PDB file of all heavy atoms in Angstrom:
ATOM      1  N   VAL A   1     133.229 174.855  66.113  1.00 84.00           N
ATOM      2  CA  VAL A   1     133.461 175.635  67.350  1.00 84.00           C
ATOM      3  C   VAL A   1     133.012 174.741  68.555  1.00 84.00           C
ATOM      4  O   VAL A   1     131.938 174.186  68.585  1.00 84.00           O
ATOM      5  CB  VAL A   1     132.609 176.919  67.331  1.00 84.00           C
ATOM      6  CG1 VAL A   1     132.778 177.675  68.654  1.00 84.00           C
ATOM      7  CG2 VAL A   1     133.014 177.767  66.171  1.00 84.00           C
ATOM      8  N   GLU A   2     133.919 174.713  69.537  1.00 83.00           N
ATOM      9  CA  GLU A   2     133.652 174.008  70.770  1.00 83.00           C
ATOM     10  C   GLU A   2     133.867 174.950  71.922  1.00 83.00           C
ATOM     11  O   GLU A   2     135.054 175.275  72.188  1.00 83.00           O
ATOM     12  CB  GLU A   2     134.551 172.761  70.878  1.00 83.00           C
ATOM     13  CG  GLU A   2     134.433 171.750  69.772  1.00 83.00           C
ATOM     14  CD  GLU A   2     135.441 170.640  69.807  1.00 83.00           C
ATOM     15  OE1 GLU A   2     136.234 170.583  70.872  1.00 83.00           O
ATOM     16  OE2 GLU A   2     135.487 169.851  68.909  1.00 83.00           O
ATOM     17  N   GLU A   3     132.878 175.341  72.600  1.00 83.00           N
ATOM     18  CA  GLU A   3     132.950 176.264  73.737  1.00 83.00           C
ATOM     19  C   GLU A   3     133.772 177.577  73.406  1.00 83.00           C
ATOM     20  O   GLU A   3     134.544 177.971  74.211  1.00 83.00           O
ATOM     21  CB  GLU A   3     133.544 175.563  74.916  1.00 83.00           C
ATOM     22  CG  GLU A   3     132.778 174.335  75.332  1.00 83.00           C
ATOM     23  CD  GLU A   3     133.506 173.567  76.475  1.00 83.00           C
ATOM     24  OE1 GLU A   3     134.581 174.012  76.908  1.00 83.00           O
ATOM     25  OE2 GLU A   3     132.975 172.489  76.792  1.00 83.00           O
ATOM     26  N   GLY A   4     133.490 178.131  72.251  1.00 81.00           N
ATOM     27  CA  GLY A   4     134.119 179.382  71.887  1.00 81.00           C
ATOM     28  C   GLY A   4     135.553 179.174  71.358  1.00 81.00           C
ATOM     29  O   GLY A   4     136.242 180.146  71.027  1.00 81.00           O
ATOM     30  N   ARG A   5     135.963 177.932  71.169  1.00 86.00           N
ATOM     31  CA  ARG A   5     137.303 177.661  70.575  1.00 86.00           C
ATOM     32  C   ARG A   5     137.133 177.004  69.230  1.00 86.00           C
ATOM     33  O   ARG A   5     136.185 176.245  69.031  1.00 86.00           O
ATOM     34  CB  ARG A   5     138.095 176.764  71.531  1.00 86.00           C
ATOM     35  CG  ARG A   5     138.435 177.389  72.886  1.00 86.00           C
ATOM     36  CD  ARG A   5     139.078 176.375  73.818  1.00 86.00           C
ATOM     37  NE  ARG A   5     139.479 176.964  75.036  1.00 86.00           N
ATOM     38  CZ  ARG A   5     140.752 177.137  75.352  1.00 86.00           C
ATOM     39  NH1 ARG A   5     141.714 176.734  74.571  1.00 86.00           N
ATOM     40  NH2 ARG A   5     141.038 177.720  76.514  1.00 86.00           N
ATOM     41  N   PHE A   6     138.086 177.235  68.352  1.00 86.00           N
ATOM     42  CA  PHE A   6     137.984 176.704  66.953  1.00 86.00           C
ATOM     43  C   PHE A   6     138.887 175.517  66.801  1.00 86.00           C
ATOM     44  O   PHE A   6     139.974 175.470  67.378  1.00 86.00           O
ATOM     45  CB  PHE A   6     138.378 177.839  65.998  1.00 86.00           C
ATOM     46  CG  PHE A   6     137.456 178.957  66.056  1.00 86.00           C
ATOM     47  CD1 PHE A   6     137.635 180.061  66.867  1.00 86.00           C
ATOM     48  CD2 PHE A   6     136.293 179.005  65.222  1.00 86.00           C
ATOM     49  CE1 PHE A   6     136.757 181.130  66.919  1.00 86.00           C
ATOM     50  CE2 PHE A   6     135.406 180.020  65.213  1.00 86.00           C
ATOM     51  CZ  PHE A   6     135.628 181.078  66.133  1.00 86.00           C
ATOM     52  N   ALA A   7     138.367 174.547  66.016  1.00 85.00           N
ATOM     53  CA  ALA A   7     139.193 173.352  65.733  1.00 85.00           C
ATOM     54  C   ALA A   7     138.810 172.918  64.305  1.00 85.00           C
ATOM     55  O   ALA A   7     137.749 173.217  63.774  1.00 85.00           O
ATOM     56  CB  ALA A   7     138.858 172.287  66.725  1.00 85.00           C
ATOM     57  N   LEU A   8     139.679 172.062  63.798  1.00 85.00           N
ATOM     58  CA  LEU A   8     139.333 171.424  62.484  1.00 85.00           C
ATOM     59  C   LEU A   8     138.570 170.220  62.718  1.00 85.00           C
ATOM     60  O   LEU A   8     138.717 169.507  63.670  1.00 85.00           O
ATOM     61  CB  LEU A   8     140.732 171.053  61.753  1.00 85.00           C
ATOM     62  CG  LEU A   8     141.671 172.203  61.500  1.00 85.00           C
ATOM     63  CD1 LEU A   8     142.973 171.619  60.860  1.00 85.00           C
ATOM     64  CD2 LEU A   8     141.096 173.209  60.572  1.00 85.00           C
ATOM     65  N   ASN A   9     137.632 169.929  61.785  1.00 84.00           N
ATOM     66  CA  ASN A   9     136.874 168.652  61.891  1.00 84.00           C
ATOM     67  C   ASN A   9     137.558 167.577  61.127  1.00 84.00           C
ATOM     68  O   ASN A   9     138.659 167.731  60.568  1.00 84.00           O
ATOM     69  CB  ASN A   9     135.425 168.906  61.485  1.00 84.00           C
ATOM     70  CG  ASN A   9     135.298 169.252  60.031  1.00 84.00           C
ATOM     71  OD1 ASN A   9     136.288 169.140  59.247  1.00 84.00           O
ATOM     72  ND2 ASN A   9     134.094 169.671  59.635  1.00 84.00           N
ATOM     73  N   ALA A  10     136.919 166.374  60.974  1.00 82.00           N
ATOM     74  CA  ALA A  10     137.558 165.236  60.349  1.00 82.00           C
ATOM     75  C   ALA A  10     137.859 165.484  58.846  1.00 82.00           C
ATOM     76  O   ALA A  10     139.008 165.064  58.370  1.00 82.00           O
ATOM     77  CB  ALA A  10     136.637 164.037  60.426  1.00 82.00           C
ATOM     78  N   ALA A  11     137.065 166.171  58.096  1.00 82.00           N
ATOM     79  CA  ALA A  11     137.306 166.436  56.660  1.00 82.00           C
ATOM     80  C   ALA A  11     138.518 167.331  56.514  1.00 82.00           C
ATOM     81  O   ALA A  11     139.384 167.059  55.658  1.00 82.00           O
ATOM     82  CB  ALA A  11     136.087 167.045  56.073  1.00 82.00           C
ATOM     83  N   SER A  12     138.646 168.364  57.315  1.00 81.00           N
ATOM     84  CA  SER A  12     139.797 169.208  57.186  1.00 81.00           C
ATOM     85  C   SER A  12     141.048 168.625  57.713  1.00 81.00           C
ATOM     86  O   SER A  12     142.161 168.891  57.209  1.00 81.00           O
ATOM     87  CB  SER A  12     139.546 170.557  57.844  1.00 81.00           C
ATOM     88  OG  SER A  12     139.164 170.398  59.196  1.00 81.00           O
ATOM     89  N   LEU A  13     140.969 167.732  58.724  1.00 82.00           N
ATOM     90  CA  LEU A  13     142.083 167.036  59.231  1.00 82.00           C
ATOM     91  C   LEU A  13     142.690 166.110  58.173  1.00 82.00           C
ATOM     92  O   LEU A  13     143.886 165.910  57.997  1.00 82.00           O
ATOM     93  CB  LEU A  13     141.810 166.280  60.512  1.00 82.00           C
ATOM     94  CG  LEU A  13     141.722 167.080  61.764  1.00 82.00           C
ATOM     95  CD1 LEU A  13     141.244 166.199  62.906  1.00 82.00           C
ATOM     96  CD2 LEU A  13     143.042 167.752  62.078  1.00 82.00           C
ATOM     97  N   ALA A  14     141.782 165.510  57.351  1.00 81.00           N
ATOM     98  CA  ALA A  14     142.228 164.663  56.279  1.00 81.00           C
ATOM     99  C   ALA A  14     143.015 165.484  55.215  1.00 81.00           C
ATOM    100  O   ALA A  14     143.944 164.972  54.597  1.00 81.00           O
ATOM    101  CB  ALA A  14     141.018 163.985  55.595  1.00 81.00           C
ATOM    102  N   ILE A  15     142.540 166.721  54.977  1.00 82.00           N
ATOM    103  CA  ILE A  15     143.242 167.572  54.049  1.00 82.00           C
ATOM    104  C   ILE A  15     144.655 167.964  54.526  1.00 82.00           C
ATOM    105  O   ILE A  15     145.659 167.937  53.747  1.00 82.00           O
ATOM    106  CB  ILE A  15     142.415 168.814  53.720  1.00 82.00           C
ATOM    107  CG1 ILE A  15     141.138 168.474  52.994  1.00 82.00           C
ATOM    108  CG2 ILE A  15     143.175 169.889  53.001  1.00 82.00           C
ATOM    109  CD1 ILE A  15     140.157 169.561  52.809  1.00 82.00           C
ATOM    110  N   VAL A  16     144.773 168.263  55.818  1.00 82.00           N
ATOM    111  CA  VAL A  16     146.026 168.757  56.378  1.00 82.00           C
ATOM    112  C   VAL A  16     146.969 167.621  56.656  1.00 82.00           C
ATOM    113  O   VAL A  16     148.228 167.842  56.610  1.00 82.00           O
ATOM    114  CB  VAL A  16     145.746 169.565  57.662  1.00 82.00           C
ATOM    115  CG1 VAL A  16     147.032 169.973  58.310  1.00 82.00           C
ATOM    116  CG2 VAL A  16     144.863 170.784  57.272  1.00 82.00           C
ATOM    117  N   THR A  17     146.464 166.453  56.940  1.00 83.00           N
ATOM    118  CA  THR A  17     147.319 165.305  57.271  1.00 83.00           C
ATOM    119  C   THR A  17     148.137 164.882  56.018  1.00 83.00           C
ATOM    120  O   THR A  17     147.635 164.810  54.923  1.00 83.00           O
ATOM    121  CB  THR A  17     146.465 164.080  57.766  1.00 83.00           C
ATOM    122  OG1 THR A  17     145.655 164.540  58.829  1.00 83.00           O
ATOM    123  CG2 THR A  17     147.289 162.935  58.159  1.00 83.00           C
ATOM    124  N   GLY A  18     149.387 164.546  56.331  1.00 80.00           N
ATOM    125  CA  GLY A  18     150.247 164.079  55.249  1.00 80.00           C
ATOM    126  C   GLY A  18     150.947 165.151  54.459  1.00 80.00           C
ATOM    127  O   GLY A  18     151.526 164.872  53.434  1.00 80.00           O
ATOM    128  N   LEU A  19     150.900 166.408  54.920  1.00 80.00           N
ATOM    129  CA  LEU A  19     151.642 167.472  54.179  1.00 80.00           C
ATOM    130  C   LEU A  19     153.142 167.226  54.403  1.00 80.00           C
ATOM    131  O   LEU A  19     153.574 166.702  55.423  1.00 80.00           O
ATOM    132  CB  LEU A  19     151.228 168.837  54.797  1.00 80.00           C
ATOM    133  CG  LEU A  19     149.870 169.331  54.411  1.00 80.00           C
ATOM    134  CD1 LEU A  19     149.570 170.638  55.163  1.00 80.00           C
ATOM    135  CD2 LEU A  19     149.726 169.547  52.930  1.00 80.00           C
ATOM    136  N   PRO A  20     153.940 167.607  53.458  1.00 77.00           N
ATOM    137  CA  PRO A  20     155.361 167.411  53.576  1.00 77.00           C
ATOM    138  C   PRO A  20     155.877 168.261  54.737  1.00 77.00           C
ATOM    139  O   PRO A  20     155.693 169.504  54.788  1.00 77.00           O
ATOM    140  CB  PRO A  20     155.996 167.865  52.204  1.00 77.00           C
ATOM    141  CG  PRO A  20     154.872 168.580  51.527  1.00 77.00           C
ATOM    142  CD  PRO A  20     153.578 168.171  52.155  1.00 77.00           C
ATOM    143  N   LYS A  21     156.580 167.679  55.655  1.00 77.00           N
ATOM    144  CA  LYS A  21     157.107 168.349  56.883  1.00 77.00           C
ATOM    145  C   LYS A  21     158.244 169.271  56.582  1.00 77.00           C
ATOM    146  O   LYS A  21     158.391 170.284  57.248  1.00 77.00           O
ATOM    147  CB  LYS A  21     157.441 167.320  57.953  1.00 77.00           C
ATOM    148  CG  LYS A  21     156.225 166.545  58.430  1.00 77.00           C
ATOM    149  CD  LYS A  21     156.565 165.644  59.548  1.00 77.00           C
ATOM    150  CE  LYS A  21     155.406 164.764  59.872  1.00 77.00           C
ATOM    151  NZ  LYS A  21     154.666 165.032  60.991  1.00 77.00           N
ATOM    152  N   LYS A  22     159.105 168.905  55.654  1.00 79.00           N
ATOM    153  CA  LYS A  22     160.266 169.675  55.341  1.00 79.00           C
ATOM    154  C   LYS A  22     160.029 170.796  54.297  1.00 79.00           C
ATOM    155  O   LYS A  22     160.942 171.508  53.956  1.00 79.00           O
ATOM    156  CB  LYS A  22     161.405 168.758  54.942  1.00 79.00           C
ATOM    157  CG  LYS A  22     161.894 167.895  56.075  1.00 79.00           C
ATOM    158  CD  LYS A  22     163.131 167.177  55.692  1.00 79.00           C
ATOM    159  CE  LYS A  22     163.570 166.340  56.873  1.00 79.00           C
ATOM    160  NZ  LYS A  22     164.857 165.717  56.642  1.00 79.00           N
ATOM    161  N   ALA A  23     158.857 170.836  53.783  1.00 80.00           N
ATOM    162  CA  ALA A  23     158.525 171.919  52.766  1.00 80.00           C
ATOM    163  C   ALA A  23     158.352 173.236  53.491  1.00 80.00           C
ATOM    164  O   ALA A  23     158.018 173.308  54.665  1.00 80.00           O
ATOM    165  CB  ALA A  23     157.269 171.537  52.078  1.00 80.00           C
ATOM    166  N   ASP A  24     158.666 174.305  52.718  1.00 81.00           N
ATOM    167  CA  ASP A  24     158.479 175.613  53.256  1.00 81.00           C
ATOM    168  C   ASP A  24     156.986 175.950  53.320  1.00 81.00           C
ATOM    169  O   ASP A  24     156.188 175.251  52.758  1.00 81.00           O
ATOM    170  CB  ASP A  24     159.350 176.679  52.554  1.00 81.00           C
ATOM    171  CG  ASP A  24     158.950 176.852  51.098  1.00 81.00           C
ATOM    172  OD1 ASP A  24     158.220 175.952  50.554  1.00 81.00           O
ATOM    173  OD2 ASP A  24     159.364 177.850  50.488  1.00 81.00           O
ATOM    174  N   THR A  25     156.688 177.092  53.871  1.00 79.00           N
ATOM    175  CA  THR A  25     155.280 177.464  54.012  1.00 79.00           C
ATOM    176  C   THR A  25     154.556 177.694  52.739  1.00 79.00           C
ATOM    177  O   THR A  25     153.381 177.256  52.583  1.00 79.00           O
ATOM    178  CB  THR A  25     155.208 178.817  54.872  1.00 79.00           C
ATOM    179  OG1 THR A  25     155.939 178.564  56.052  1.00 79.00           O
ATOM    180  CG2 THR A  25     153.827 179.125  55.124  1.00 79.00           C
ATOM    181  N   ALA A  26     155.221 178.240  51.697  1.00 82.00           N
ATOM    182  CA  ALA A  26     154.526 178.446  50.412  1.00 82.00           C
ATOM    183  C   ALA A  26     154.152 177.121  49.806  1.00 82.00           C
ATOM    184  O   ALA A  26     153.086 177.000  49.214  1.00 82.00           O
ATOM    185  CB  ALA A  26     155.438 179.274  49.519  1.00 82.00           C
ATOM    186  N   GLU A  27     155.048 176.148  49.865  1.00 84.00           N
ATOM    187  CA  GLU A  27     154.764 174.789  49.288  1.00 84.00           C
ATOM    188  C   GLU A  27     153.589 174.149  50.000  1.00 84.00           C
ATOM    189  O   GLU A  27     152.781 173.498  49.428  1.00 84.00           O
ATOM    190  CB  GLU A  27     156.010 173.970  49.315  1.00 84.00           C
ATOM    191  CG  GLU A  27     157.093 174.454  48.368  1.00 84.00           C
ATOM    192  CD  GLU A  27     158.358 173.615  48.578  1.00 84.00           C
ATOM    193  OE1 GLU A  27     158.457 172.770  49.493  1.00 84.00           O
ATOM    194  OE2 GLU A  27     159.342 173.865  47.830  1.00 84.00           O
ATOM    195  N   ARG A  28     153.551 174.321  51.379  1.00 82.00           N
ATOM    196  CA  ARG A  28     152.494 173.663  52.139  1.00 82.00           C
ATOM    197  C   ARG A  28     151.185 174.319  51.856  1.00 82.00           C
ATOM    198  O   ARG A  28     150.152 173.680  51.735  1.00 82.00           O
ATOM    199  CB  ARG A  28     152.842 173.769  53.671  1.00 82.00           C
ATOM    200  CG  ARG A  28     154.068 172.979  53.955  1.00 82.00           C
ATOM    201  CD  ARG A  28     154.374 173.088  55.447  1.00 82.00           C
ATOM    202  NE  ARG A  28     153.605 172.037  56.083  1.00 82.00           N
ATOM    203  CZ  ARG A  28     153.439 171.952  57.400  1.00 82.00           C
ATOM    204  NH1 ARG A  28     153.958 172.875  58.160  1.00 82.00           N
ATOM    205  NH2 ARG A  28     152.772 170.999  57.913  1.00 82.00           N
ATOM    206  N   ILE A  29     151.189 175.653  51.686  1.00 81.00           N
ATOM    207  CA  ILE A  29     149.912 176.343  51.334  1.00 81.00           C
ATOM    208  C   ILE A  29     149.426 175.917  49.975  1.00 81.00           C
ATOM    209  O   ILE A  29     148.252 175.706  49.755  1.00 81.00           O
ATOM    210  CB  ILE A  29     150.145 177.926  51.424  1.00 81.00           C
ATOM    211  CG1 ILE A  29     150.310 178.317  52.871  1.00 81.00           C
ATOM    212  CG2 ILE A  29     148.938 178.647  50.744  1.00 81.00           C
ATOM    213  CD1 ILE A  29     150.654 179.733  53.073  1.00 81.00           C
ATOM    214  N   PHE A  30     150.406 175.803  49.025  1.00 84.00           N
ATOM    215  CA  PHE A  30     149.962 175.333  47.675  1.00 84.00           C
ATOM    216  C   PHE A  30     149.310 173.944  47.714  1.00 84.00           C
ATOM    217  O   PHE A  30     148.345 173.705  47.052  1.00 84.00           O
ATOM    218  CB  PHE A  30     151.236 175.378  46.768  1.00 84.00           C
ATOM    219  CG  PHE A  30     150.965 174.882  45.394  1.00 84.00           C
ATOM    220  CD1 PHE A  30     150.311 175.688  44.477  1.00 84.00           C
ATOM    221  CD2 PHE A  30     151.372 173.625  44.996  1.00 84.00           C
ATOM    222  CE1 PHE A  30     150.047 175.280  43.200  1.00 84.00           C
ATOM    223  CE2 PHE A  30     151.128 173.191  43.683  1.00 84.00           C
ATOM    224  CZ  PHE A  30     150.438 174.037  42.816  1.00 84.00           C
ATOM    225  N   GLU A  31     149.959 173.085  48.515  1.00 83.00           N
ATOM    226  CA  GLU A  31     149.424 171.710  48.611  1.00 83.00           C
ATOM    227  C   GLU A  31     148.011 171.743  49.241  1.00 83.00           C
ATOM    228  O   GLU A  31     147.157 170.956  48.854  1.00 83.00           O
ATOM    229  CB  GLU A  31     150.364 170.848  49.406  1.00 83.00           C
ATOM    230  CG  GLU A  31     149.958 169.377  49.590  1.00 83.00           C
ATOM    231  CD  GLU A  31     150.058 168.622  48.277  1.00 83.00           C
ATOM    232  OE1 GLU A  31     150.884 168.978  47.379  1.00 83.00           O
ATOM    233  OE2 GLU A  31     149.303 167.677  48.072  1.00 83.00           O
ATOM    234  N   VAL A  32     147.798 172.589  50.274  1.00 82.00           N
ATOM    235  CA  VAL A  32     146.487 172.675  50.924  1.00 82.00           C
ATOM    236  C   VAL A  32     145.476 173.161  49.923  1.00 82.00           C
ATOM    237  O   VAL A  32     144.354 172.647  49.881  1.00 82.00           O
ATOM    238  CB  VAL A  32     146.575 173.512  52.212  1.00 82.00           C
ATOM    239  CG1 VAL A  32     145.158 173.903  52.642  1.00 82.00           C
ATOM    240  CG2 VAL A  32     147.316 172.794  53.276  1.00 82.00           C
ATOM    241  N   ARG A  33     145.853 174.181  49.134  1.00 83.00           N
ATOM    242  CA  ARG A  33     144.914 174.697  48.095  1.00 83.00           C
ATOM    243  C   ARG A  33     144.567 173.697  47.099  1.00 83.00           C
ATOM    244  O   ARG A  33     143.424 173.617  46.661  1.00 83.00           O
ATOM    245  CB  ARG A  33     145.516 175.954  47.503  1.00 83.00           C
ATOM    246  CG  ARG A  33     145.516 177.158  48.357  1.00 83.00           C
ATOM    247  CD  ARG A  33     146.016 178.366  47.571  1.00 83.00           C
ATOM    248  NE  ARG A  33     145.883 179.565  48.418  1.00 83.00           N
ATOM    249  CZ  ARG A  33     146.372 180.680  48.152  1.00 83.00           C
ATOM    250  NH1 ARG A  33     147.041 180.830  46.950  1.00 83.00           N
ATOM    251  NH2 ARG A  33     146.273 181.745  48.882  1.00 83.00           N
ATOM    252  N   GLN A  34     145.490 172.838  46.701  1.00 83.00           N
ATOM    253  CA  GLN A  34     145.185 171.801  45.756  1.00 83.00           C
ATOM    254  C   GLN A  34     144.204 170.811  46.325  1.00 83.00           C
ATOM    255  O   GLN A  34     143.227 170.371  45.679  1.00 83.00           O
ATOM    256  CB  GLN A  34     146.425 171.059  45.333  1.00 83.00           C
ATOM    257  CG  GLN A  34     147.203 171.760  44.265  1.00 83.00           C
ATOM    258  CD  GLN A  34     148.367 170.918  43.762  1.00 83.00           C
ATOM    259  OE1 GLN A  34     148.901 170.075  44.469  1.00 83.00           O
ATOM    260  NE2 GLN A  34     148.761 171.135  42.517  1.00 83.00           N
ATOM    261  N   ARG A  35     144.432 170.452  47.590  1.00 82.00           N
ATOM    262  CA  ARG A  35     143.538 169.479  48.234  1.00 82.00           C
ATOM    263  C   ARG A  35     142.140 170.141  48.494  1.00 82.00           C
ATOM    264  O   ARG A  35     141.152 169.406  48.488  1.00 82.00           O
ATOM    265  CB  ARG A  35     144.134 169.017  49.555  1.00 82.00           C
ATOM    266  CG  ARG A  35     145.381 168.140  49.381  1.00 82.00           C
ATOM    267  CD  ARG A  35     145.973 167.743  50.637  1.00 82.00           C
ATOM    268  NE  ARG A  35     147.239 166.994  50.457  1.00 82.00           N
ATOM    269  CZ  ARG A  35     147.883 166.355  51.405  1.00 82.00           C
ATOM    270  NH1 ARG A  35     147.474 166.438  52.640  1.00 82.00           N
ATOM    271  NH2 ARG A  35     148.964 165.674  51.171  1.00 82.00           N
ATOM    272  N   LEU A  36     142.115 171.379  48.764  1.00 80.00           N
ATOM    273  CA  LEU A  36     140.808 172.032  48.945  1.00 80.00           C
ATOM    274  C   LEU A  36     140.058 172.144  47.628  1.00 80.00           C
ATOM    275  O   LEU A  36     138.784 172.055  47.661  1.00 80.00           O
ATOM    276  CB  LEU A  36     141.028 173.464  49.433  1.00 80.00           C
ATOM    277  CG  LEU A  36     141.271 173.591  50.978  1.00 80.00           C
ATOM    278  CD1 LEU A  36     141.617 175.059  51.345  1.00 80.00           C
ATOM    279  CD2 LEU A  36     140.062 173.165  51.798  1.00 80.00           C
ATOM    280  N   GLY A  37     140.742 172.236  46.543  1.00 79.00           N
ATOM    281  CA  GLY A  37     140.123 172.248  45.235  1.00 79.00           C
ATOM    282  C   GLY A  37     139.426 170.902  44.954  1.00 79.00           C
ATOM    283  O   GLY A  37     138.422 170.797  44.328  1.00 79.00           O
TER     284      GLY A  37
END
């Protein structure tokens, strides 16, 4: 949290970076869940 606003930190940016851009939302959520695991 920065001044009442929310942002991702470096660890979560590494998880989200490199997701397939042309994938639909369900595929992107699945990939994020795998990386979170």
Side-chain angles (χ1 to χ4, degrees):
V1 177
E2 299 172 6
E3 300 174 4
R5 295 173 177 249
F6 295 90
L8 300 177
N9 64 11
S12 56
L13 282 174
I15 292 172
V16 175
T17 303
L19 289 174
K21 295 184 189 254
K22 293 190 178 185
D24 65 343
T25 304
E27 292 173 356
R28 296 179 87 193
I29 290 173
F30 179 75
E31 183 69 28
V32 167
R33 284 185 178 172
Q34 281 187 332
R35 292 179 184 186
L36 280 173

